[in-house]
Amino acid sequence: MKNVILLDLDGVMIITPPWRKDYIDEDGYSRFKSDAITNLNKLLSIADADLWLISARRRGYTLEQFNVFFKNRKIEKELNGMVSTYFEYIPRIEELKGFLEDEQFDNYLLIDDDSSLEGLDDKNFWVKTHPLIGFTEEKLNEAIEKIKHWKK
């Protein structure tokens, strides 16, 4: 079985209210919330899955650059890929549908705060975070419950 965790950054790992500038770490990239890092590492330690980035922030950076940012923030698994970007911005739900059609994964888990995903036909594998709170322990437990229902 080939599984994937699709990770958004804003509202999941990076918690910056729209009226504030990001806190920037020493490597020049936005600071990740420390409990979100802990929770993501716990999830990655039990989920047999590739890790892909679906964040709008993937524009302008390479996979290699993101892997350096993730390593600097003590995320214990490298990103395997980034969902393709399009010439024009399209809604997240369309990016997800295109990715799932193009890639050959048996199961997926999406961690994202994007409200446009409310239109998903199947919300069983979406963990919706609050944009000003992020990937909490409660959301980690929700994610663990969802991956228990992956096809074997």
Side-chain angles (χ1 to χ4, degrees):
M1 285 285 157
K2 193 165 180 189
N3 307 314
V4 65
I5 295 173
L6 296 160
L7 183 68
D8 182 27
L9 294 179
D10 286 310
V12 178
M13 304 303 293
I14 301 169
I15 310 303
T16 305
W19 60 88
R20 282 200 184 136
K21 286 178 57 176
D22 276 354
Y23 294 104
I24 303 299
D25 274 337
E26 292 177 8
D27 61 5
Y29 196 73
S30 300
R31 182 174 300 160
F32 288 9
K33 190 174 178 188
S34 62
D35 68 330
I37 293 169
T38 300
N39 294 328
L40 180 61
N41 281 333
K42 286 179 185 175
L43 179 62
L44 295 172
S45 74
I46 62 170
D48 179 21
D50 288 351
L51 181 62
W52 283 59
L53 194 62
I54 195 168
S55 172
R57 289 180 179 245
R58 67 192 185 278
R59 296 173 186 273
Y61 294 97
T62 66
L63 181 62
E64 293 76 21
Q65 288 172 306
F66 271 112
N67 276 320
V68 169
F69 299 147
F70 274 48
K71 184 176 182 181
N72 290 345
R73 283 153 187 76
K74 308 284 190 265
I75 294 178
E76 296 169 0
K77 183 174 181 128
E78 284 194 349
L79 288 164
N80 298 91
M82 297 191 298
V83 173
S84 296
T85 57
Y86 297 87
F87 180 69
E88 295 181 18
Y89 282 94
I90 63 172
R92 178 65 46 86
I93 193 169
E94 296 304 320
E95 288 180 330
L96 177 64
K97 287 178 182 177
F99 174 79
L100 294 174
E101 288 173 8
D102 293 344
E103 298 295 328
Q104 298 300 310
F105 288 99
D106 298 303
N107 299 294
Y108 76 94
L109 178 71
L110 173 65
I111 306 171
D112 202 323
D113 70 321
D114 192 325
S115 294
S116 75
L117 295 165
E118 292 292 343
L120 278 173
D121 294 332
D122 181 3
K123 295 182 187 77
N124 292 324
F125 300 104
W126 173 33
V127 174
K128 184 180 182 186
T129 60
H130 187 285
L132 297 178
I133 300 173
F135 192 53
T136 62
E137 188 172 358
E138 175 186 348
K139 294 301 177 178
L140 166 63
N141 292 331
E142 183 181 329
I144 291 169
E145 285 303 310
K146 289 180 184 292
I147 64 173
K148 287 180 181 177
H149 295 89
W150 278 354
K151 297 178 278 182
K152 303 272 185 208

